[in-house]
Amino acid sequence: MPELPEVETTVLDLNRFVGLYIRSIKLNRNNLRYPIPKNITIITKKSKIQSINRIGKYIIINLNNLFSLIIHLGMSGRIKSYEFKDLNYREKHDHVEIFLTKDKKITFNDPRRFGIFDIIKTEKIPNSKYFNKLGLDPFDKKFSKDYLHKKMCKSSASIKSLLLNQKIISGIGNIYACEILFDCKISPLKTGKNISNKQYLLLFKSIKKILKLAIKNKGSSLKDYKSIDGILGNYQNNFLVYNKKSIKMKRNNKIAKIIKINQGNRSTYYCPTIQK
DNA sequence: CCATTAACCTGACAGC
DNA sequence: TGCTGTCAGGTTAATG
C-alpha cells in the first residue's frame, strides 16, 4: 500500500507522540514479514520517544535508550492511534500495541502482514540490513539529477522498474512511479540508457513535484490507507493515469487513451500518445 | 545485468 | 448466498 507520501503523512501525525514514554509494548503475534524480536518489550519499557523520522518507506522511532524501532508498512500496514478510546479496545490485525504515557495507545495494524516491526541500535541503522543497500530518499539533500543520471543511464532496465528499485531511490512505489512518468511525459517502457540528459532533469523535477503534491494532500487512499486517526488522503483524486481509462489532453481537448500493461508483475498505467 | 515467476498474506470485488 | 478467480500503495529469492 503505502509509498513515500503515505509514510511521510504517518510520520508527521506520529510526531505528536514525541516526548511521551513507552509504558509497554504488547505483541499479539510473534512475526510479520520477519520475526518480531521477543525482547522488544523489555528493551522499550520506560523508554522515551525522542524523535520520529522516515527514510524511504521506513518509519524510524528513536528512543532515548540508544535503540530505534524500525517499521515498514508493507502493502496493507497502518499505524493507528487510539487516543480517546478504551485502552483494552483493539481491532482485527492490530498485531502490535504500544501503550504510551498520558493514556495514549498506538497500534501496528496489517492485514496482509508484509510489514516489518523491528528494533535495532540507533547507531547501527545505516549498516543494518534495511538501510545498507537502500538508495537515496528523494528528499535527501544529496538526491539530484546527476545522482539519477549516474545510477540509471547505463541500465537496460525499463525506467518504470528503475523507479521502483529501492536500491536506486527509496520511497517510490507503483502508483507514484506511473504518475511521475506521466508528469514528465516519459514512456515507462523506455530503458535507462535511452533516456536523454534533458529527460533526466525532467524526471528529477517530476519526482519531487508529484511526491510533494501527494504529501500536501496527505497521501492517497484506495482501500487500506488512512492516517493514524482514520482520515483519508486526497491525492487519489489527482491521479491522471493510475487506474484511469483516458485523459483529456490540454493541447487540443481531445481524449487520449490510457493503457494498462504489465511490467515485472506490476500494473503500469500510461498514455502512449503523450508519453514517449 | 535483467526479466520473469513465485512466494509471503488477507480482503474486496466481479461473475457465475 | 455461496463459490471461484483476480487483483491490490511491497519486497525478496530463485531461475533462465
Side-chain angles (χ1 to χ4, degrees):
Chain A
M1 139 241 153
E3 306 181 34
L4 186 152
E6 291 76 31
V7 179
E8 178 69 13
T9 303
T10 301
V11 167
L12 292 174
D13 283 348
L14 284 175
N15 264 309
R16 75 171 87 125
F17 300 112
V18 168
L20 298 188
Y21 288 77
I22 294 178
R23 282 208 167 112
S24 63
I25 289 187
K26 186 172 163 231
L27 302 179
N28 295 321
R29 64 156 35 239
N30 55 25
N31 71 301
L32 295 162
R33 182 141 69 87
Y34 302 118
I36 305 173
K38 266 193 194 142
N39 58 7
I40 211 165
T41 1
I42 300 161
I43 297 173
T44 55
K45 211 167 186 90
K46 294 186 178 173
S47 63
K48 184 180 178 183
I49 297 178
Q50 225 153 30
S51 61
I52 304 176
N53 60 302
R54 176 193 64 72
I55 300 176
K57 296 173 192 169
Y58 290 88
I59 297 167
I60 301 163
I61 301 182
N62 297 307
L63 307 172
N64 71 339
N65 61 0
L66 306 181
F67 282 90
S68 297
L69 293 169
I70 306 294
I71 300 171
H72 191 293
L73 302 176
M75 279 287 257
S76 56
R78 181 153 92 84
I79 293 180
K80 290 163 44 175
S81 162
Y82 283 90
E83 269 188 279
F84 303 107
K85 294 201 172 112
D86 178 356
L87 289 180
N88 293 317
Y89 173 75
R90 67 174 151 115
E91 290 173 350
K92 203 175 180 185
H93 308 301
D94 277 340
H95 305 306
V96 182
E97 296 175 88
I98 305 176
F99 296 89
L100 303 169
T101 47
K102 295 199 174 172
D103 285 335
K104 313 274 188 196
K105 179 174 87 169
I106 54 178
T107 67
F108 182 84
N109 184 288
D110 186 7
R112 293 179 73 180
R113 308 204 301 270
F114 293 160
I116 296 166
F117 198 91
D118 203 351
I119 189 161
I120 52 179
K121 279 251 173 77
T122 305
E123 60 171 10
K124 290 190 175 162
I125 288 177
N127 294 319
S128 67
K129 64 173 173 181
Y130 304 120
F131 299 99
N132 64 358
K133 287 174 190 156
L134 202 65
L136 282 184
D137 185 279
F139 294 105
D140 190 304
K141 280 172 195 156
K142 283 174 276 181
F143 180 67
S144 65
K145 173 236 145 196
D146 289 336
Y147 174 82
L148 263 191
H149 182 84
K150 191 179 155 197
K151 289 278 183 183
M152 295 179 167
C153 72
K154 285 178 186 157
S155 174
S156 54
S158 73
I159 188 62
K160 166 76 182 315
S161 60
L162 291 172
L163 283 179
L164 289 180
N165 186 343
Q166 306 295 301
K167 289 170 188 156
I168 299 177
I169 320 171
S170 56
I172 298 174
N174 201 42
I175 290 181
Y176 295 109
C178 294
E179 295 297 324
I180 286 164
L181 287 172
F182 177 77
D183 190 68
C184 56
K185 302 184 170 69
I186 297 173
S187 163
L189 296 167
K190 222 159 181 198
T191 59
K193 58 184 173 192
N194 283 327
I195 289 176
S196 70
N197 208 19
K198 193 183 163 191
Q199 282 180 311
Y200 274 112
L201 180 62
L202 295 174
L203 178 62
F204 170 75
K205 286 182 174 170
S206 291
I207 290 170
K208 304 268 268 191
K209 173 185 159 188
I210 298 292
L211 295 177
K212 269 185 193 167
L213 207 57
I215 292 168
K216 205 174 156 191
N217 281 273
K218 299 195 178 299
S220 307
S221 295
L222 294 190
K223 34 182 136 171
D224 296 313
Y225 180 75
K226 291 173 186 167
S227 78
I228 70 168
D229 299 308
I231 295 166
L232 298 175
N234 285 320
Y235 193 69
Q236 67 281 4
N237 301 321
N238 297 328
F239 290 170
L240 293 178
V241 286
Y242 188 82
N243 244 328
K244 300 287 179 183
K245 296 250 155 61
S246 65
I247 184 158
K248 197 178 202 177
M249 291 191 285
K250 283 180 185 171
R251 273 274 168 77
N252 51 16
N253 275 352
K254 283 187 178 164
I255 305 292
K257 260 197 178 164
I258 287 161
I259 61 171
K260 180 182 176 182
I261 59 171
N262 250 39
Q263 285 181 294
N265 255 354
R266 313 296 306 273
S267 296
T268 298
Y269 293 83
Y270 81 110
C271 176
T273 317
I274 296 173
Q275 293 170 261
K276 299 292 179 189

PDB file of all heavy atoms in Angstrom, chain A residues 160-183:
ATOM      1  N   LYS A 160      10.489   2.415 -15.584  1.00  0.00           N
ATOM      2  CA  LYS A 160       9.491   2.116 -14.553  1.00  0.00           C
ATOM      3  C   LYS A 160      10.101   1.224 -13.468  1.00  0.00           C
ATOM      4  O   LYS A 160       9.954   1.493 -12.274  1.00  0.00           O
ATOM      5  CB  LYS A 160       8.278   1.422 -15.185  1.00  0.00           C
ATOM      6  CG  LYS A 160       7.312   0.767 -14.211  1.00  0.00           C
ATOM      7  CD  LYS A 160       6.449   1.744 -13.502  1.00  0.00           C
ATOM      8  CE  LYS A 160       5.495   1.150 -12.472  1.00  0.00           C
ATOM      9  NZ  LYS A 160       4.765  -0.035 -12.841  1.00  0.00           N
ATOM     10  N   SER A 161      10.813   0.179 -13.889  1.00  0.00           N
ATOM     11  CA  SER A 161      11.388  -0.697 -12.867  1.00  0.00           C
ATOM     12  C   SER A 161      12.557  -0.017 -12.150  1.00  0.00           C
ATOM     13  O   SER A 161      12.812  -0.302 -10.980  1.00  0.00           O
ATOM     14  CB  SER A 161      11.808  -2.042 -13.464  1.00  0.00           C
ATOM     15  OG  SER A 161      12.773  -1.855 -14.456  1.00  0.00           O
ATOM     16  N   LEU A 162      13.236   0.876 -12.830  1.00  0.00           N
ATOM     17  CA  LEU A 162      14.311   1.616 -12.156  1.00  0.00           C
ATOM     18  C   LEU A 162      13.745   2.520 -11.058  1.00  0.00           C
ATOM     19  O   LEU A 162      14.335   2.664  -9.988  1.00  0.00           O
ATOM     20  CB  LEU A 162      15.113   2.442 -13.166  1.00  0.00           C
ATOM     21  CG  LEU A 162      15.967   1.642 -14.160  1.00  0.00           C
ATOM     22  CD1 LEU A 162      16.548   2.549 -15.235  1.00  0.00           C
ATOM     23  CD2 LEU A 162      17.079   0.893 -13.456  1.00  0.00           C
ATOM     24  N   LEU A 163      12.593   3.131 -11.337  1.00  0.00           N
ATOM     25  CA  LEU A 163      11.967   3.998 -10.328  1.00  0.00           C
ATOM     26  C   LEU A 163      11.502   3.187  -9.113  1.00  0.00           C
ATOM     27  O   LEU A 163      11.476   3.686  -7.996  1.00  0.00           O
ATOM     28  CB  LEU A 163      10.774   4.751 -10.919  1.00  0.00           C
ATOM     29  CG  LEU A 163      11.083   5.942 -11.821  1.00  0.00           C
ATOM     30  CD1 LEU A 163       9.795   6.562 -12.334  1.00  0.00           C
ATOM     31  CD2 LEU A 163      11.904   6.990 -11.087  1.00  0.00           C
ATOM     32  N   LEU A 164      11.103   1.931  -9.383  1.00  0.00           N
ATOM     33  CA  LEU A 164      10.629   1.086  -8.279  1.00  0.00           C
ATOM     34  C   LEU A 164      11.780   0.449  -7.503  1.00  0.00           C
ATOM     35  O   LEU A 164      11.564  -0.110  -6.429  1.00  0.00           O
ATOM     36  CB  LEU A 164       9.721  -0.022  -8.824  1.00  0.00           C
ATOM     37  CG  LEU A 164       8.351   0.395  -9.326  1.00  0.00           C
ATOM     38  CD1 LEU A 164       7.575  -0.817  -9.832  1.00  0.00           C
ATOM     39  CD2 LEU A 164       7.559   1.092  -8.240  1.00  0.00           C
ATOM     40  N   ASN A 165      12.973   0.524  -8.058  1.00  0.00           N
ATOM     41  CA  ASN A 165      14.125  -0.112  -7.428  1.00  0.00           C
ATOM     42  C   ASN A 165      14.608   0.705  -6.228  1.00  0.00           C
ATOM     43  O   ASN A 165      15.220   1.757  -6.366  1.00  0.00           O
ATOM     44  CB  ASN A 165      15.241  -0.261  -8.470  1.00  0.00           C
ATOM     45  CG  ASN A 165      16.409  -1.046  -7.927  1.00  0.00           C
ATOM     46  OD1 ASN A 165      16.546  -1.218  -6.707  1.00  0.00           O
ATOM     47  ND2 ASN A 165      17.255  -1.516  -8.813  1.00  0.00           N
ATOM     48  N   GLN A 166      14.350   0.179  -5.040  1.00  0.00           N
ATOM     49  CA  GLN A 166      14.655   0.913  -3.801  1.00  0.00           C
ATOM     50  C   GLN A 166      16.148   1.059  -3.559  1.00  0.00           C
ATOM     51  O   GLN A 166      16.561   1.856  -2.731  1.00  0.00           O
ATOM     52  CB  GLN A 166      13.984   0.228  -2.599  1.00  0.00           C
ATOM     53  CG  GLN A 166      12.486   0.026  -2.756  1.00  0.00           C
ATOM     54  CD  GLN A 166      11.696   1.311  -2.822  1.00  0.00           C
ATOM     55  OE1 GLN A 166      11.722   2.124  -1.905  1.00  0.00           O
ATOM     56  NE2 GLN A 166      10.966   1.524  -3.920  1.00  0.00           N
ATOM     57  N   LYS A 167      16.946   0.268  -4.296  1.00  0.00           N
ATOM     58  CA  LYS A 167      18.395   0.406  -4.154  1.00  0.00           C
ATOM     59  C   LYS A 167      18.894   1.633  -4.901  1.00  0.00           C
ATOM     60  O   LYS A 167      20.029   2.078  -4.711  1.00  0.00           O
ATOM     61  CB  LYS A 167      19.100  -0.848  -4.676  1.00  0.00           C
ATOM     62  CG  LYS A 167      18.890  -2.034  -3.776  1.00  0.00           C
ATOM     63  CD  LYS A 167      19.397  -3.316  -4.424  1.00  0.00           C
ATOM     64  CE  LYS A 167      18.992  -4.507  -3.563  1.00  0.00           C
ATOM     65  NZ  LYS A 167      18.928  -5.758  -4.336  1.00  0.00           N
ATOM     66  N   ILE A 168      18.060   2.184  -5.774  1.00  0.00           N
ATOM     67  CA  ILE A 168      18.429   3.404  -6.503  1.00  0.00           C
ATOM     68  C   ILE A 168      17.805   4.626  -5.832  1.00  0.00           C
ATOM     69  O   ILE A 168      18.501   5.540  -5.424  1.00  0.00           O
ATOM     70  CB  ILE A 168      17.989   3.303  -7.978  1.00  0.00           C
ATOM     71  CG1 ILE A 168      18.698   2.118  -8.645  1.00  0.00           C
ATOM     72  CG2 ILE A 168      18.289   4.617  -8.705  1.00  0.00           C
ATOM     73  CD1 ILE A 168      18.287   1.887 -10.084  1.00  0.00           C
ATOM     74  N   ILE A 169      16.468   4.619  -5.739  1.00  0.00           N
ATOM     75  CA  ILE A 169      15.760   5.665  -4.989  1.00  0.00           C
ATOM     76  C   ILE A 169      14.845   4.948  -4.013  1.00  0.00           C
ATOM     77  O   ILE A 169      14.193   3.981  -4.384  1.00  0.00           O
ATOM     78  CB  ILE A 169      14.819   6.514  -5.877  1.00  0.00           C
ATOM     79  CG1 ILE A 169      15.441   6.806  -7.221  1.00  0.00           C
ATOM     80  CG2 ILE A 169      14.421   7.801  -5.168  1.00  0.00           C
ATOM     81  CD1 ILE A 169      14.452   7.447  -8.164  1.00  0.00           C
ATOM     82  N   SER A 170      14.746   5.434  -2.805  1.00  0.00           N
ATOM     83  CA  SER A 170      13.878   4.764  -1.838  1.00  0.00           C
ATOM     84  C   SER A 170      12.629   5.584  -1.590  1.00  0.00           C
ATOM     85  O   SER A 170      12.709   6.764  -1.262  1.00  0.00           O
ATOM     86  CB  SER A 170      14.625   4.525  -0.529  1.00  0.00           C
ATOM     87  OG  SER A 170      15.131   5.740  -0.026  1.00  0.00           O
ATOM     88  N   GLY A 171      11.495   4.962  -1.786  1.00  0.00           N
ATOM     89  CA  GLY A 171      10.235   5.626  -1.454  1.00  0.00           C
ATOM     90  C   GLY A 171       9.170   5.573  -2.528  1.00  0.00           C
ATOM     91  O   GLY A 171       7.983   5.664  -2.241  1.00  0.00           O
ATOM     92  N   ILE A 172       9.594   5.464  -3.781  1.00  0.00           N
ATOM     93  CA  ILE A 172       8.616   5.450  -4.869  1.00  0.00           C
ATOM     94  C   ILE A 172       8.034   4.056  -5.019  1.00  0.00           C
ATOM     95  O   ILE A 172       8.751   3.072  -4.972  1.00  0.00           O
ATOM     96  CB  ILE A 172       9.269   5.894  -6.191  1.00  0.00           C
ATOM     97  CG1 ILE A 172       9.767   7.332  -6.060  1.00  0.00           C
ATOM     98  CG2 ILE A 172       8.277   5.777  -7.350  1.00  0.00           C
ATOM     99  CD1 ILE A 172      10.544   7.809  -7.272  1.00  0.00           C
ATOM    100  N   GLY A 173       6.719   3.974  -5.172  1.00  0.00           N
ATOM    101  CA  GLY A 173       6.035   2.707  -5.388  1.00  0.00           C
ATOM    102  C   GLY A 173       5.269   2.738  -6.694  1.00  0.00           C
ATOM    103  O   GLY A 173       5.472   3.624  -7.535  1.00  0.00           O
ATOM    104  N   ASN A 174       4.386   1.786  -6.865  1.00  0.00           N
ATOM    105  CA  ASN A 174       3.756   1.579  -8.165  1.00  0.00           C
ATOM    106  C   ASN A 174       2.905   2.756  -8.647  1.00  0.00           C
ATOM    107  O   ASN A 174       2.963   3.138  -9.806  1.00  0.00           O
ATOM    108  CB  ASN A 174       2.916   0.303  -8.123  1.00  0.00           C
ATOM    109  CG  ASN A 174       2.662  -0.242  -9.506  1.00  0.00           C
ATOM    110  OD1 ASN A 174       3.559  -0.271 -10.346  1.00  0.00           O
ATOM    111  ND2 ASN A 174       1.441  -0.646  -9.758  1.00  0.00           N
ATOM    112  N   ILE A 175       2.132   3.329  -7.759  1.00  0.00           N
ATOM    113  CA  ILE A 175       1.247   4.431  -8.177  1.00  0.00           C
ATOM    114  C   ILE A 175       2.056   5.650  -8.584  1.00  0.00           C
ATOM    115  O   ILE A 175       1.896   6.196  -9.682  1.00  0.00           O
ATOM    116  CB  ILE A 175       0.295   4.835  -7.031  1.00  0.00           C
ATOM    117  CG1 ILE A 175      -0.733   3.747  -6.786  1.00  0.00           C
ATOM    118  CG2 ILE A 175      -0.388   6.158  -7.351  1.00  0.00           C
ATOM    119  CD1 ILE A 175      -1.721   4.076  -5.702  1.00  0.00           C
ATOM    120  N   TYR A 176       2.943   6.075  -7.693  1.00  0.00           N
ATOM    121  CA  TYR A 176       3.659   7.324  -7.962  1.00  0.00           C
ATOM    122  C   TYR A 176       4.651   7.170  -9.106  1.00  0.00           C
ATOM    123  O   TYR A 176       4.928   8.140  -9.810  1.00  0.00           O
ATOM    124  CB  TYR A 176       4.306   7.861  -6.678  1.00  0.00           C
ATOM    125  CG  TYR A 176       3.244   8.253  -5.663  1.00  0.00           C
ATOM    126  CD1 TYR A 176       3.034   7.508  -4.516  1.00  0.00           C
ATOM    127  CD2 TYR A 176       2.403   9.335  -5.901  1.00  0.00           C
ATOM    128  CE1 TYR A 176       2.026   7.839  -3.617  1.00  0.00           C
ATOM    129  CE2 TYR A 176       1.396   9.673  -5.011  1.00  0.00           C
ATOM    130  CZ  TYR A 176       1.214   8.915  -3.868  1.00  0.00           C
ATOM    131  OH  TYR A 176       0.214   9.238  -2.988  1.00  0.00           O
ATOM    132  N   ALA A 177       5.156   5.949  -9.321  1.00  0.00           N
ATOM    133  CA  ALA A 177       6.016   5.729 -10.487  1.00  0.00           C
ATOM    134  C   ALA A 177       5.230   6.047 -11.759  1.00  0.00           C
ATOM    135  O   ALA A 177       5.728   6.740 -12.655  1.00  0.00           O
ATOM    136  CB  ALA A 177       6.532   4.293 -10.500  1.00  0.00           C
ATOM    137  N   CYS A 178       3.997   5.553 -11.830  1.00  0.00           N
ATOM    138  CA  CYS A 178       3.157   5.821 -13.012  1.00  0.00           C
ATOM    139  C   CYS A 178       2.870   7.316 -13.149  1.00  0.00           C
ATOM    140  O   CYS A 178       2.978   7.887 -14.237  1.00  0.00           O
ATOM    141  CB  CYS A 178       1.829   5.074 -12.910  1.00  0.00           C
ATOM    142  SG  CYS A 178       1.980   3.278 -12.970  1.00  0.00           S
ATOM    143  N   GLU A 179       2.502   7.954 -12.066  1.00  0.00           N
ATOM    144  CA  GLU A 179       2.139   9.367 -12.104  1.00  0.00           C
ATOM    145  C   GLU A 179       3.343  10.253 -12.438  1.00  0.00           C
ATOM    146  O   GLU A 179       3.226  11.235 -13.175  1.00  0.00           O
ATOM    147  CB  GLU A 179       1.512   9.790 -10.769  1.00  0.00           C
ATOM    148  CG  GLU A 179       0.178   9.117 -10.450  1.00  0.00           C
ATOM    149  CD  GLU A 179      -0.919   9.458 -11.454  1.00  0.00           C
ATOM    150  OE1 GLU A 179      -0.957  10.604 -11.949  1.00  0.00           O
ATOM    151  OE2 GLU A 179      -1.731   8.562 -11.761  1.00  0.00           O
ATOM    152  N   ILE A 180       4.495   9.890 -11.908  1.00  0.00           N
ATOM    153  CA  ILE A 180       5.717  10.658 -12.169  1.00  0.00           C
ATOM    154  C   ILE A 180       6.086  10.571 -13.647  1.00  0.00           C
ATOM    155  O   ILE A 180       6.393  11.584 -14.290  1.00  0.00           O
ATOM    156  CB  ILE A 180       6.875  10.134 -11.280  1.00  0.00           C
ATOM    157  CG1 ILE A 180       6.667  10.596  -9.831  1.00  0.00           C
ATOM    158  CG2 ILE A 180       8.234  10.609 -11.803  1.00  0.00           C
ATOM    159  CD1 ILE A 180       7.512   9.841  -8.810  1.00  0.00           C
ATOM    160  N   LEU A 181       6.028   9.366 -14.199  1.00  0.00           N
ATOM    161  CA  LEU A 181       6.404   9.201 -15.613  1.00  0.00           C
ATOM    162  C   LEU A 181       5.428   9.927 -16.534  1.00  0.00           C
ATOM    163  O   LEU A 181       5.821  10.459 -17.570  1.00  0.00           O
ATOM    164  CB  LEU A 181       6.490   7.715 -15.967  1.00  0.00           C
ATOM    165  CG  LEU A 181       7.712   7.014 -15.386  1.00  0.00           C
ATOM    166  CD1 LEU A 181       7.632   5.510 -15.600  1.00  0.00           C
ATOM    167  CD2 LEU A 181       8.996   7.576 -15.993  1.00  0.00           C
ATOM    168  N   PHE A 182       4.172   9.956 -16.148  1.00  0.00           N
ATOM    169  CA  PHE A 182       3.219  10.719 -16.958  1.00  0.00           C
ATOM    170  C   PHE A 182       3.552  12.208 -16.881  1.00  0.00           C
ATOM    171  O   PHE A 182       3.532  12.921 -17.879  1.00  0.00           O
ATOM    172  CB  PHE A 182       1.779  10.483 -16.493  1.00  0.00           C
ATOM    173  CG  PHE A 182       0.792  11.313 -17.256  1.00  0.00           C
ATOM    174  CD1 PHE A 182       0.414  10.947 -18.545  1.00  0.00           C
ATOM    175  CD2 PHE A 182       0.262  12.485 -16.715  1.00  0.00           C
ATOM    176  CE1 PHE A 182      -0.472  11.726 -19.280  1.00  0.00           C
ATOM    177  CE2 PHE A 182      -0.623  13.270 -17.442  1.00  0.00           C
ATOM    178  CZ  PHE A 182      -0.988  12.888 -18.721  1.00  0.00           C
ATOM    179  N   ASP A 183       3.880  12.659 -15.690  1.00  0.00           N
ATOM    180  CA  ASP A 183       4.156  14.084 -15.497  1.00  0.00           C
ATOM    181  C   ASP A 183       5.325  14.562 -16.361  1.00  0.00           C
ATOM    182  O   ASP A 183       5.296  15.676 -16.879  1.00  0.00           O
ATOM    183  CB  ASP A 183       4.444  14.367 -14.022  1.00  0.00           C
ATOM    184  CG  ASP A 183       4.505  15.854 -13.730  1.00  0.00           C
ATOM    185  OD1 ASP A 183       3.445  16.509 -13.823  1.00  0.00           O
ATOM    186  OD2 ASP A 183       5.599  16.368 -13.440  1.00  0.00           O
TER     187      ASP A 183
END
